[in-house]
């Protein structure tokens, strides 16, 4: 039974395959009634109390980061690759410094063989020749400088050979966010990676791979981004001096990448380029990746957004975001969204024939905040039908009244005035966008409808207020007082305006239900909507426009000023 249940879960879409490594049977856990289908619950929260819409048990379900054993990108740099590769300093670009030793051989007119130290002034001293300044010369320039000095004294039959025999050791401080800060010995031409390796590498939890500085006497002489080395093989090569400091700064904004990628890592981004495009330059995706699930926190609260891979580069990222890449063509999958008061992700990938109760039974809600009996649903296809129905009504209105003939001059003048009203009304009404709201909760019962791709399910918070809007003198929200009627609330808002139709007062419930205000008991969270009067004398025309206004208020919560 467990195997059969897990086969029908959300994980049919690979979007959650990596993040949710396991799931429990919701039927066995008491979350769903007995049946052969379930919505997957992350293994990390299976011990928590889940919401159950039939019995009224509640969350919370704390969010957990998708981390596991994922390491920062670049951490493999310091696994033993540098400790045995110490430089001898004898490359052509090495800059000669005090303390180095130069082997000199001269033969021909004179014979000389000595090892000459570079003194504190940067000179070597050759008997019968005198001091020769070599400080700051590159290794490749050394022989030419010494030979020139000797030939200036012995111009004929003299051969000169020089060799940099050894370099002065240096001790470099490695500080900041490294495993073992300290002072480490090396040569001036050792790479900064050698010294970082000596210090145990960069701290995986805190250190930055992109903000590495080399300091000399408290001044920055070089900066390195190790991502440049990892990806393109580029690395700055400062020549170290005794007392230099390599400083590893604190890690910058980083995001976690999992799913259908070649390797899962924490990637560090630069503060100036926190975008999907910057991440895609670093992460190596598997072939066929089509979508990415972004989870993170924003000022307005937690987010969970499912993007097509084509639109992801334009998205802004923040430190701590989790990106789950997937090769999800969604042939048999729909994505629905939650809004309002709940715990956990706001988007779910579900089987095409998933139903509302299945999803709600896998969503935890705060018990004292969420009005579970006022669930509603917005659907794209419903909004499209509502929009088309509105446009059809407006077209019929124009066709019926704008082309009608007049039998008298007075009637013609009235029709001109009405035509202007109708034209203005049609122009404004055609801009109204219906919400596509479906009423799925009535009498504290939630209909178990089949979900569609793009559905937005609203889980409203309990409200202590009633909103009065439309044709009232002072539209406002007021604290709900049990027992008051809609008209008493309207009186408290200053009463009707002169354009109000006192017989057209609607109450819109939190679940999207629209009812007339007469003879109903108001509830906290209701919205009282006063519709306008139609300023025409033609009773049939007034009736038609009033009906359209009523429909617009019901499907879009919009009251047009006629």
């Amino acid at each position: 039974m467990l195997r059969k249940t897990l086969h029908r879960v959300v994980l049919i879409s690979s979007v959650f395959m990596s993040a949710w490594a396991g799931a429990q049977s919701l039927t066995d856990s008491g979350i769903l009634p007995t049946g052969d289908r379930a919505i997957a619950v992350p293994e990390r929260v299976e011990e928590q109390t889940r919401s159950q819409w039939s019995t009224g048990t509640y969350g919370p379900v704390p969010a957990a980061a998708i981390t596991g054993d994922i390491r920062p990108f670049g951490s493999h740099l310091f696994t033993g690759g540098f400790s045995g590769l110490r430089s001898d300093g004898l490359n052509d670009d090495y800059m000669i410094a005090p303390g180095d030793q130069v082997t000199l051989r001269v033969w021909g007119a004179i014979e000389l063989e000595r090892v000459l130290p570079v003194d504190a002034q940067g000179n070597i001293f050759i008997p019968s020749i005198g001091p020769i300044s070599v400080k700051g010369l590159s290794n490749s320039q050394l022989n030419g400088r010494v030979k020139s000095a000797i030939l200036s004294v012995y111009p004929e039959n003299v051969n000169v050979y020089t060799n940099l025999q050894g370099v002065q050791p240096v001790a470099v401080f490695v500080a900041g966010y490294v495993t073992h800060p300290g002072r480490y010995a090396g040569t001036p031409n050792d790479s900064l990676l050698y010294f970082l390796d000596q210090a145990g590498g960069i701290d995986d939890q805190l250190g930055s791979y992109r903000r590495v500085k080399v300091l000399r006497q408290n001044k920055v002489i070089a900066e390195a981004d190790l991502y440049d080395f990892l990806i393109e093989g580029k690395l700055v090569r400062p020549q170290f001096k005794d007392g230099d400091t390599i400083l590893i700064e604190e890690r910058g904004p980083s995001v976690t990448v999992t799913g259908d990628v070649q390797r899962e890592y924490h990637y560090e981004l630069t503060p100036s380029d926190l975008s999907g495009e910057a991440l895609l330059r670093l992460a190596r995706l598997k072939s066929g990746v089509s979508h990415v699930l972004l989870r993170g926190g924003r000022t307005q609260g937690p987010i969970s957004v499912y993007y097509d891979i084509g639109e992801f580069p334009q998205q802004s990222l923040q430190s701590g975001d989790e990106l789950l890449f997937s090769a999800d063509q969604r042939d048999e999958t729909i994505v629905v969204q939650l809004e309002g008061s709940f715990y956990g992700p706001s988007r779910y990938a579900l089987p095409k024939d998933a139903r509302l109760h299945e999803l709600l039974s896998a969503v935890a809600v705060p018990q004292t905040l969420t009005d579970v009996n006022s669930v509603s649903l917005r659907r794209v296809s419903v909004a499209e039908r509502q929009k088309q129905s509105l446009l059809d009504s407006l077209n019929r209105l124009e066709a019926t009244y704008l082309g009608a003939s007049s039998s008298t001059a007075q009637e013609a003048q009235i029709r001109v005035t009405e035509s202007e009203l109708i034209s203005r009304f049609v122009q404004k009404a055609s801009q109204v966008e219906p919400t596509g709201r479906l009423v799925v909760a009535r009498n504290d019962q939630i209909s178990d409808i089949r979900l569609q791709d793009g559905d937005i399910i609203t889980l409203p918070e309990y409200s202590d207020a009633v909103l009065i809007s439309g044709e009232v003198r002072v539209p406002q929200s007021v604290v709900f007082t049990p027992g008051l009627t809609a008209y008493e609330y309207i009186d408290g808002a200053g009463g009707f305006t002169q354009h109000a139709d006192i017989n057209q007062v609607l109450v819109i419930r939190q679940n999207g239900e629209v009812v007339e205000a007469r003879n109903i008991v108001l509830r906290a969270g209701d919205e009282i909507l006063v519709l306008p009067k139609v300023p025409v004398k033609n009773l049939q025309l007034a009736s038609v426009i009033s009906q359209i206004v009523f429909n617009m208020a019901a499907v879009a919560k919009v009251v047009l000023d006629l």
Side-chain angles (χ1 to χ4, degrees), residues 135-205:
K135 179 181 178 180
L137 294 179
S138 67
N139 189 17
S140 61
Q141 296 172 323
L142 174 64
N143 194 73
R145 172 66 65 84
V146 174
K147 185 175 182 179
S148 176
I150 293 175
L151 290 179
S152 68
V153 178
Y154 300 99
E156 296 181 359
N157 193 28
V158 173
N159 298 286
V160 178
Y161 172 79
T162 59
N163 177 51
L164 191 62
Q165 177 175 310
V167 299
Q168 180 74 10
V170 296
V172 174
F173 294 96
V174 182
Y177 294 95
V178 292
T179 305
H180 303 295
R183 189 168 182 256
Y184 295 93
T187 69
N189 218 43
D190 280 326
S191 74
L192 62 86
L193 293 176
Y194 169 81
F195 288 104
L196 289 175
D197 190 67
Q198 293 282 88
I202 295 173
D203 188 321
D204 275 359
Q205 301 299 318

Side-chain angles (χ1 to χ4, degrees), residues 462-475:
Y462 286 113
S463 174
D464 297 321
V466 171
L467 174 64
I468 307 104
S469 61
E471 294 295 338
V472 293
R473 295 187 183 279
V474 187

